[in-house]
Amino acid sequence: MELGSVSAAHGSVESGTMAGVGKCILVTGPPGVGKTTLIMRICENLKLSNPSIKLQGFYSQEIRQGGERVGFEVVTLDGRRARLASSTISSPESRQWPAVGKYKVDIASFESLVLPELKIREDTGLFIVDEVGKMELFSSYFFPAILNILQSNIPLLATVPIPKFGKDIPAVVRLKNHPGAAIFTLDKSNRDVMKDRIYPQLAGRSREAYKNGACNFLKES
């Protein structure tokens, strides 16, 4: 099947070759539409259906003070946290950090938590990455770790931002063009049913299949 898109009442999906669908599942949509919530609901369902499955990765969430957003943090699936970006920090060190708008990106903090979570292990069942965005990509090690996952047989479930002014981030373009990519566009009208479209693509793979894929990849590496 040629790379294309399919629109339905429940949303739109763009997918690569049928054989690869499900290996690289990308969720996109405007800020605040519920991408992180969707990812976490899928994780919860996977753990309920297969308690032994090993999920690795992280999600991002806002840091708020007095009702105002002052930054972002990354959180591993077992609850460990690290700062991703802040609008209030003013240390001499932070003056050298890259910025996205008013937020200074703490690359060292991000890498210390996230990079170990993206290492392939024999019992890894699925990688969760929320998100592959501009802040995260300031790390020169982050995207190579994503590409390493794609070279293994372990599925990746990730969120990516919508194109800004019609232009995608180059790294996001590479993910979307991956032969095993399936792209789900989330909006307010389909967010309640999108979980039922993505979950079966992941639940259909057994823990043994995940593990064998990781073992083979590690042997070849």
Side-chain angles (χ1 to χ4, degrees):
M1 177 176 162
E2 296 291 326
L3 184 69
S5 64
V6 179
S7 296
H10 296 312
S12 61
V13 180
E14 302 170 17
S15 60
T17 60
M18 290 300 292
V21 169
K23 184 179 180 184
C24 178
I25 295 179
L26 305 175
V27 178
T28 190
V33 75
K35 296 186 293 293
T36 299
T37 299
L38 174 65
I39 292 285
M40 298 314 297
R41 286 178 178 172
I42 292 171
C43 287
E44 290 170 2
N45 281 26
L46 287 170
K47 291 295 288 185
L48 286 173
S49 63
N50 186 359
S52 63
I53 190 172
K54 174 68 178 298
L55 306 179
Q56 284 179 223
F58 71 96
Y59 62 94
S60 306
Q61 66 180 22
E62 296 179 351
I63 301 174
R64 288 188 167 269
Q65 291 180 1
E68 179 184 357
R69 185 173 69 189
V70 296
F72 299 89
E73 63 181 355
V74 285
V75 186
T76 62
L77 301 182
D78 60 2
R80 288 172 291 121
R81 300 168 183 268
R83 179 173 54 210
L84 171 60
S86 174
S87 63
T88 59
I89 193 167
S90 58
S91 66
E93 180 186 28
S94 69
R95 294 173 187 169
Q96 306 300 319
W97 295 352
V100 177
K102 66 179 181 179
Y103 301 102
K104 292 281 191 176
V105 181
D106 190 342
I107 299 174
S109 172
F110 170 75
E111 290 182 338
S112 68
L113 184 71
V114 166
L115 294 182
E117 285 297 302
L118 300 183
K119 288 184 178 179
I120 295 169
R121 300 179 175 88
E122 289 189 4
D123 60 346
T124 306
L126 172 69
F127 281 100
I128 305 293
V129 174
D130 173 40
E131 72 174 352
V132 181
K134 188 172 182 179
M135 289 183 180
E136 293 83 358
L137 288 165
F138 277 120
S139 165
S140 59
Y141 299 103
F142 174 62
F143 195 63
I146 299 296
L147 295 179
N148 196 45
I149 291 170
L150 293 178
Q151 290 175 6
S152 74
N153 289 325
I154 304 171
L156 169 68
L157 173 59
T159 62
V160 295
I162 58 173
K164 191 171 184 179
F165 305 116
K167 188 175 181 179
D168 252 327
I169 299 170
V172 172
V173 173
R174 289 188 66 179
L175 290 182
K176 289 182 175 180
N177 289 336
H178 185 269
I183 306 163
F184 293 81
T185 301
L186 194 66
D187 58 43
K188 291 182 179 180
S189 69
N190 67 22
R191 61 186 179 185
D192 293 331
V193 297
M194 193 62 82
K195 174 177 66 68
D196 297 329
R197 304 191 70 196
I198 298 174
Y199 172 76
Q201 297 198 37
L202 298 170
R205 297 182 176 225
S206 67
R207 183 179 65 86
E208 289 75 21
Y210 288 141
K211 186 174 181 181
N212 290 339
C215 287
N216 291 336
F217 176 78
L218 291 169
K219 289 176 182 177
E220 295 169 0
S221 299

